Amino acid sequence: MLVDVSSYDDILEKYFRVTKGLGLTAAGSKEEFFGFGGCDVLRMHFHKQGFGGGTYFRLRDGRVVDTCAQEHPPNPIWYDQTTH
């Protein structure tokens, strides 16, 4: 399923505003905070082994970044799979 870039922009903006509202960043924009924009997002993941549910942005350059702008290991096996 393809997602419109503006949807990724809206999601990034939402997490940026929450972080800014909590006083956790002095960044002036979502691009400054995350280091990328919606056009750089290839897809989103919603689960990471060892962390559980969350939102992770897989970028076109292969990096994976969470909603706090922290980079995570890019290996796809860690995301959107559960172990029983």
Side-chain angles (χ1 to χ4, degrees):
M1 178 174 122
L2 294 175
V3 176
D4 189 330
V5 170
S6 66
S7 296
Y8 288 134
D9 273 329
D10 291 344
I11 294 165
L12 292 170
E13 182 70 26
K14 170 188 152 184
Y15 285 111
F16 166 68
R17 286 180 184 247
V18 168
T19 304
K20 182 86 168 175
L22 292 172
L24 300 175
T25 185
S29 69
K30 65 183 177 296
E31 292 83 4
E32 183 182 350
F33 176 66
F34 285 106
F36 60 88
C39 63
D40 299 309
V41 178
L42 181 62
R43 65 176 293 198
M44 290 171 52
H45 298 288
F46 300 102
H47 185 273
K48 181 180 177 197
Q49 293 293 324
F51 284 80
T55 303
Y56 303 89
F57 303 99
R58 179 165 299 275
L59 307 182
R60 295 184 187 285
D61 66 8
R63 294 181 296 143
V64 174
V65 179
D66 67 17
T67 57
C68 295
Q70 299 297 307
E71 204 163 323
H72 290 261
N75 190 334
I77 200 163
W78 288 100
Y79 301 93
D80 294 332
Q81 301 177 33
T82 58
T83 56
H84 303 284

